[in-house]
Amino acid sequence: HVQLVESGGGSVQAGESLRLSCVASGATQDIGCMGWFRQVPGLEREGVAATYTGGGTTHYTTETDGRFAISIDSAKNIVYLQMNSLKLEDSAIYYCAASGSRFWPGFSPEAFAYWGQGTQVTVS
């Protein structure tokens, strides 16, 4: 089993930056891909960014508009999401997720078996 713990959320003003962190523990050797999703209450969870445990290729959804960057420290099993030029519409609960797939599973939440508890990001 894999445990994911996010941190780094908070309240910021539009235009500011935040960096989210997610520490993976447990059976981390089973992880092939890690990503970030976000969810606004009442709406579906949507993908934001993803990468592989070995680093390299990254995936982003169009909503990030070049403002977000995902990175991974494979030695420490930590994945980061650097969010710049935050907008009001970026406000959401951000979730870290992990998939056992070593091929791109897409941003379907069903493709990710492990989830963190979420961290709130509020942009005003």
Side-chain angles (χ1 to χ4, degrees), residues 19-22 36 69-73 78-82:
R19 189 177 79 156
L20 305 183
S21 301
C22 172
W36 290 93
I70 188 170
S71 60
I72 190 166
D73 184 333
I78 302 176
V79 63
Y80 302 98
L81 183 67
Q82 177 68 42

Side-chain angles (χ1 to χ4, degrees), residues 7-9 12-13 15-22 34-38 48-51 58-61 63-73 78-87 90 94-96 119 121 123:
S7 62
V12 296
Q13 295 191 338
E16 294 184 340
S17 299
L18 276 176
R19 189 177 79 156
L20 305 183
S21 301
C22 172
M34 296 188 71
W36 290 93
F37 288 72
R38 66 187 183 186
V48 175
T51 189
T58 55
H59 299 276
Y60 297 95
T61 54
E63 286 76 13
T64 64
D65 196 25
R67 299 177 293 118
F68 293 3
I70 188 170
S71 60
I72 190 166
D73 184 333
I78 302 176
V79 63
Y80 302 98
L81 183 67
Q82 177 68 42
M83 303 186 294
N84 300 322
S85 303
L86 283 163
K87 302 177 180 180
D90 293 320
Y94 283 71
Y95 296 91
C96 177
T119 185
V121 172
V123 184

Side-chain angles (χ1 to χ4, degrees), residues 4 8 19 23 28 30 32 36 43 45 48 51 55 61 73 83 87 89 93 99 102 105 111-112 118-119 123-124:
L4 303 173
R19 189 177 79 156
V23 180
T28 56
D30 293 341
W36 290 93
L43 299 181
R45 191 168 297 187
V48 175
T51 189
T61 54
D73 184 333
M83 303 186 294
K87 302 177 180 180
E89 53 265 40
I93 300 173
S99 168
R102 299 187 187 279
F112 290 77
T119 185
V123 184
S124 60

